[in-house]
Amino acid sequence: MSSESEDFQAALETALPILRGMKKSLRRSPKATQTSLQRLQAILPSTFEKTGTEHSLTQTPEIASPRIPVNGDDGRLAKLERLKKDILGCTRCPNLVASRTQVVYGIGNPFAELLFVGEAPGEEEDLKGEPFIGKAGQLLTKIIGAMEYSREEIFIANVLKCRPDMPAGESGNRKPKPSEMATCLPWLKQQIELIKPKVIVALGLTAVEGLLGEPITMRDVRGKWLDYSGVPLMPTYHPAYLLRNQTLSEKRKVWEDMLLVLEKLERPISEKQRSYFLEKAS
Ligand code: URA
């Protein structure tokens, strides 16, 4: 295979799970412009012979996602695929290499306008290789849904790509060490540079400190716009905190942060969305 077709194959392997995810969440085939379909058809006729299978696409005169450049992929799919291989093979922290089941690269749309950044994989994420799928992840998925996004439309990643190891005989999770975060941060930085989100949401103090590289108090920054290399950064509470503090007022704080995010992204906000958690919040 030439390197061009290897790149294309890699890009296709990245794109197909996303299209399948969209198909599942939308309960219909994802849409693509006629031009994109014609371009794909020229390169990959077999994709179109499989109409009715998981590969089927339908045509629309609209651009399916305003974030996908009209001229198609800007090269990021192949670059992200190469980055993913490097991240999955990372051996920079010997202690984490020894304890991890696998590296958790991140998941979602390579063209996402919205990127959520968490702390580090927990036990379930380490086992399955996907971020935010445990209890806190299920709450995050609900928040994403309430924002009228699906997990496939946005991107979710962590500051630390490996589950922090625990001392022998101890269970549970520990916070990543500053040295581990500093070692791992270049991976997230490259993901952000390639995905080019319009907004980043940092979930919890560790994510904010990891991204900004300085000590911070959540009380000072939650709900206020910060800046990460020119990208607006919204710090909010980690969903695990909300699971521990199930008061309407704390839920409302996170929701207000998400309303600010939706406004920044110029997404329509319904009256129902505006009033979530308002009734008894104090
Ligand atoms: N908590 C995080 O910060 N990240 C995950 O992926 C899961 C739980």
Side-chain angles (χ1 to χ4, degrees):
M1 255 205 288
S2 72
S3 108
E4 200 177 317
S5 57
E6 273 173 19
D7 281 355
F8 180 76
Q9 193 57 38
L12 199 62
E13 276 164 22
T14 305
L16 281 177
I18 294 162
L19 291 170
R20 281 189 204 112
M22 283 168 69
K23 187 175 175 185
K24 211 165 129 199
S25 68
L26 298 171
R27 289 192 207 86
R28 59 171 167 72
S29 297
K31 294 181 174 175
T33 61
Q34 189 146 11
T35 323
S36 314
L37 286 176
Q38 278 164 354
R39 199 176 290 137
L40 254 181
Q41 200 160 15
I43 313 168
L44 203 75
S46 59
T47 300
F48 294 85
E49 284 156 15
K50 293 187 180 175
T51 306
T53 72
E54 62 198 8
H55 286 169
S56 72
L57 294 167
T58 53
Q59 291 184 10
T60 169
E62 305 293 326
I63 295 168
S65 160
R67 292 236 74 212
I68 300 181
V70 181
N71 295 335
D73 171 30
D74 53 6
R76 76 178 70 182
L77 290 180
K79 285 186 195 150
L80 277 168
E81 199 54 38
R82 275 196 290 272
L83 178 63
K84 184 174 181 177
K85 275 195 193 128
D86 290 346
I87 293 178
L88 294 182
C90 180
T91 54
R92 289 178 189 170
C93 304
N95 56 320
L96 304 184
V97 175
S99 63
R100 75 189 180 201
T101 306
Q102 58 196 309
V103 180
V104 180
Y105 163 78
I107 194 149
N109 179 357
F111 298 91
E113 59 185 9
L114 177 56
L115 169 71
F116 283 89
V117 175
E119 181 175 305
E123 190 176 5
E124 287 174 72
E125 290 79 15
D126 169 72
L127 286 174
K128 299 240 172 79
E130 182 173 333
F132 281 100
I133 51 164
K135 285 209 172 76
Q138 286 157 28
L139 178 54
L140 176 64
T141 305
K142 278 192 191 160
I143 295 171
I144 292 166
M147 295 172 80
E148 300 279 339
Y149 282 106
S150 67
R151 274 174 77 102
E152 290 78 21
E153 283 175 287
I154 53 134
F155 202 91
I156 309 174
N158 282 307
V159 170
L160 203 66
K161 309 288 185 212
C162 295
R163 183 180 186 215
D165 55 342
M166 295 299 290
E170 282 187 35
S171 59
N173 296 317
R174 71 160 169 85
K175 267 174 79 112
K177 296 175 190 156
S179 61
E180 291 166 341
M181 290 201 283
T183 306
C184 207
L185 193 66
W187 294 134
L188 178 61
K189 206 171 160 213
Q190 289 178 71
Q191 287 178 304
I192 295 172
E193 276 164 14
L194 288 170
I195 295 169
K196 304 181 183 68
K198 286 189 194 161
V199 169
I200 300 172
V201 174
L203 299 163
L205 185 61
T206 308
V208 191
E209 289 186 336
L211 280 165
L212 299 184
E214 54 186 84
I216 285 200
T217 56
M218 212 51 193
R219 193 164 5 101
D220 292 338
V221 296
R222 200 224 97 240
K224 295 185 187 142
W225 285 112
L226 302 178
D227 175 273
Y228 175 82
S229 292
V231 185
L233 171 68
M234 174 55 67
T236 196
Y237 291 140
H238 193 286
Y241 167 83
L242 287 185
L243 290 175
R244 292 192 302 271
N245 298 273
Q246 303 234 8
T247 60
L248 276 180
S249 62
E250 295 310 90
K251 289 180 188 169
R252 177 67 195 177
K253 282 181 195 161
V254 170
W255 185 243
E256 276 169 9
D257 301 343
M258 295 308 103
L259 290 176
L260 290 175
V261 167
L262 292 175
E263 277 166 11
K264 180 73 87 187
L265 291 167
E266 296 176 6
R267 299 275 290 196
I269 303 176
S270 66
E271 273 315 303
K272 190 175 162 203
Q273 280 176 312
R274 288 221 180 266
S275 57
Y276 282 156
F277 308 117
L278 261 189
E279 297 97 75
K280 291 183 204 122
S282 50

